[in-house]
Amino acid sequence: MSRHRLLESLFEACAALPPEEREAFLRVRCAGDPGLQAEVLDLLARDASPDTPSLVPLVPPIERPVGAAQGGGLPASIGPFQILRRLGEGGFGEVFEAEQQQPMHRRVALKVLKPGMDSQAVLARFAAERQALALMDHPSVARVYDAGQTDTGRPWFAMELVAGEPITDWCARASASRRTRIGLMIAVCRAVEHAHQKGVIHRDLKP
């Protein structure tokens, strides 16, 4: 891997992490190369500056409405969806269970960018995730239904709500046999293979 590609890869990975976790991550990934670590930290600092364009462009960023304010607490609704409860959160996004009434009734998982996480790099990663999911067409990959922005300019997308539990928890609770566990992993691998065939590499798989 070229140094530029390595720098870009580390920058992307760090941009998705909370700021307080970045230096520890880089100490491990840049062991023996303090210059590389310094370059990545410099890119992150310059990316966070509102006056400095991103030096490592990813995909075109989501445009924020002029004068959009930062988001506050849990909204009553986002787009056509009524927010029911928070399901979880990641490095830069929150996921809610939400309900759509019109033009059809359904419950969805709605992912929205966290307030304040609106640097160009993070917006680009969010847009890339949304686009990647929209390309998927596989029974083991959640479908994207809709996308947009909140009144305060935070991008969101609504996807298929899948009720379930971590695969490791289910296997332990069900005392699943080795054959069953292997069968589940084959199903997971087929879904990941589908993503690979669409040109998408998932680097953060969880149970």
Side-chain angles (χ1 to χ4, degrees):
M1 180 184 295
S2 69
R3 187 176 181 85
H4 177 79
R5 184 66 190 94
L6 177 59
L7 185 64
E8 181 181 6
S9 176
L10 291 172
F11 174 86
E12 292 181 35
C14 283
L17 292 174
E20 64 272 13
E21 296 179 10
R22 292 172 179 174
E23 287 201 33
F25 171 83
L26 287 173
R27 279 197 298 271
V28 175
R29 294 294 299 273
C30 301
D33 192 345
L36 179 62
Q37 179 176 341
E39 286 185 71
V40 178
L41 290 173
D42 180 62
L43 282 175
L44 290 166
R46 296 167 75 174
D47 178 73
S49 170
D51 300 322
T52 305
S54 173
L55 301 181
V56 187
L58 307 177
V59 298
I62 300 170
E63 293 184 2
R64 299 178 66 240
V66 175
Q70 296 298 332
L74 180 66
S77 63
I78 294 178
F81 303 96
Q82 179 185 359
I83 302 301
L84 301 178
R85 63 189 177 105
R86 177 182 280 102
L87 294 176
E89 61 182 273
F92 57 89
E94 297 175 291
V95 182
F96 303 98
E97 181 177 351
E99 187 172 59
Q100 181 180 11
Q101 297 287 347
Q102 298 292 337
M104 63 189 71
H105 182 273
R106 61 185 172 192
R107 289 199 175 186
V108 303
L110 191 145
K111 185 168 186 177
V112 60
L113 197 67
K114 287 181 179 179
M117 300 292 288
D118 58 351
S119 71
Q120 184 175 348
V122 173
L123 287 170
R125 286 183 63 83
F126 195 90
E129 179 181 356
R130 185 174 69 186
Q131 181 61 32
L133 283 169
L135 292 173
M136 302 297 107
D137 183 17
H138 191 278
S140 295
V141 179
R143 293 171 294 169
V144 171
Y145 294 136
D146 199 359
Q149 289 185 329
T150 67
D151 293 340
T152 57
R154 289 192 288 158
W156 58 264
F157 61 86
M159 59 192 300
E160 183 179 3
L161 177 65
V162 181
E165 60 185 310
I167 193 170
T168 47
D169 292 352
W170 184 90
C171 287
R173 182 176 56 78
S175 298
S177 66
R178 183 179 301 174
R179 179 179 295 273
T180 298
R181 293 170 190 252
I182 291 174
L184 287 171
M185 287 309 302
I186 289 174
V188 170
C189 289
R190 286 175 175 163
V192 174
E193 180 186 33
H194 174 76
H196 289 177
Q197 291 172 343
K198 296 290 186 178
V200 175
I201 306 298
H202 199 312
R203 298 176 295 180
D204 190 26
L205 289 173
K206 300 181 180 68

